[in-house]
Amino acid sequence: ANLPPTYVQVAEHDVLADEDVELARRLADAGVPVETTVYDGMVHGFWRNPQLFDAAEVALADAAAFLDRHA
């Protein structure tokens, strides 16, 4: 419950997507401010490949905006 605000990015087709969503739920249940974004159609690690996935730039911008809001 004493964790800082947390941002969880979920790639829709990541084999760990359910675990990401569960993590966000548990954090929220514990009173941690949490924001979650699901990137439709994306696979694990998409954010590292902006040349392949347009959503990579969006995901990086979303993460930067979260940090700006909580810095």
Side-chain angles (χ1 to χ4, degrees), residues 11-23:
E12 179 185 25
H13 296 298
D14 187 336
V15 297
L16 299 174
D18 291 340
E19 285 84 351
D20 295 338
V21 172
E22 179 67 10
L23 170 66

Side-chain angles (χ1 to χ4, degrees), residues 6 8-9 11-12 18-20 23 25 28-29 32-33 36 41-42 46 51 55 57-58 60 63 65 67-69 71:
T6 302
V8 179
Q9 292 185 319
E12 179 185 25
D18 291 340
E19 285 84 351
D20 295 338
L23 170 66
R25 185 193 64 77
D29 287 352
V32 176
T36 304
M42 293 297 103
F46 75 95
Q51 70 279 14
E57 295 290 339
V58 174
L60 292 173
L67 293 172
D68 282 343
R69 287 191 302 278

